[in-house]
Amino acid sequence: MDGNCVFCRIVEGELPARIVDESETTLAFLDANPLARGHTLVIPRDHHERIGDLSPALAADVFDHLYRITTAVADGVGADAVTVGFNDGPAAGQEVPHVHGHVIPRFEGDGGRPIHAVAGSRPALSEDELDNIADRLSESCRS
Ligand code: AMP
């Protein structure tokens, strides 16, 4: 529990939230400034800033909760599709430093963009550079 963290304070019941689902280790509640009807956040109850800070078990719980509610949230508001994503770190736009997955219902013609729109301009990468990046990532994933 971090007393300065708004999401920890929601977990503790110190701040109001429209909780829609919960588990022993996770909580799902409506975003206070929704990007769409039914915009929901899924968080671990324990305070962790980044995805990489989660234990494997807690990460599995968060992703399991996202898996379980994505279709339910879409059905609940009659959405045509859903965008699910994490802003993992300030450079990616994370404003609340407590891991949270966004479940954003999407509607035909809602004017929103696909997840490809979140990054800046696409880098021009040669085949050699792509090979090199794949090798580095492969090594990093194994370590
Ligand atoms: P992010 O930029 O990924 O850190 O997103 C943080 C999200 O938390 C934003 O969509 C905010 O609207 C939402 N938010 C901030 N404070 C609250 C709150 N007290 N209750 C519900 N949602 C909140």
Side-chain angles (χ1 to χ4, degrees):
M1 159 73 178
D2 177 336
N4 295 318
C5 170
V6 289
F7 289 174
C8 283
R9 296 186 66 203
I10 286 173
V11 170
E12 294 299 314
E14 294 174 8
L15 286 177
R18 292 184 171 86
I19 293 171
V20 297
D21 196 34
E22 55 189 316
S23 78
E24 204 174 310
T25 57
T26 61
L27 202 60
F29 54 90
L30 292 189
D31 194 292
N33 293 294
L35 295 170
R37 278 187 291 127
H39 182 176
T40 300
L41 302 175
V42 173
I43 67 166
R45 289 181 186 271
D46 289 347
H47 183 82
H48 298 283
E49 197 163 329
R50 302 282 299 271
I51 290 176
D53 299 331
L54 299 172
S55 68
L58 190 51
D61 289 351
V62 170
F63 281 87
D64 176 66
H65 203 160
L66 283 166
Y67 160 71
R68 287 188 293 102
I69 71 164
T70 294
T71 304
V73 167
D75 289 349
V77 294
D80 301 306
V82 188
T83 297
V84 179
F86 289 78
N87 293 323
D88 186 40
Q94 183 178 4
E95 291 177 355
V96 177
H98 182 133
V99 172
H100 51 282
H102 292 260
V103 179
I104 305 169
R106 300 294 304 272
F107 302 86
E108 292 293 346
D110 66 11
R113 308 276 304 278
I115 210 158
H116 305 73
V118 300
S121 54
R122 289 176 189 256
L125 296 168
S126 67
E127 293 296 319
D128 282 350
E129 285 171 314
L130 287 168
D131 288 343
N132 190 268
I133 290 167
D135 287 345
R136 277 173 23 214
L137 296 194
S138 173
E139 194 178 323
S140 180
C141 289
R142 282 196 305 271
S143 66

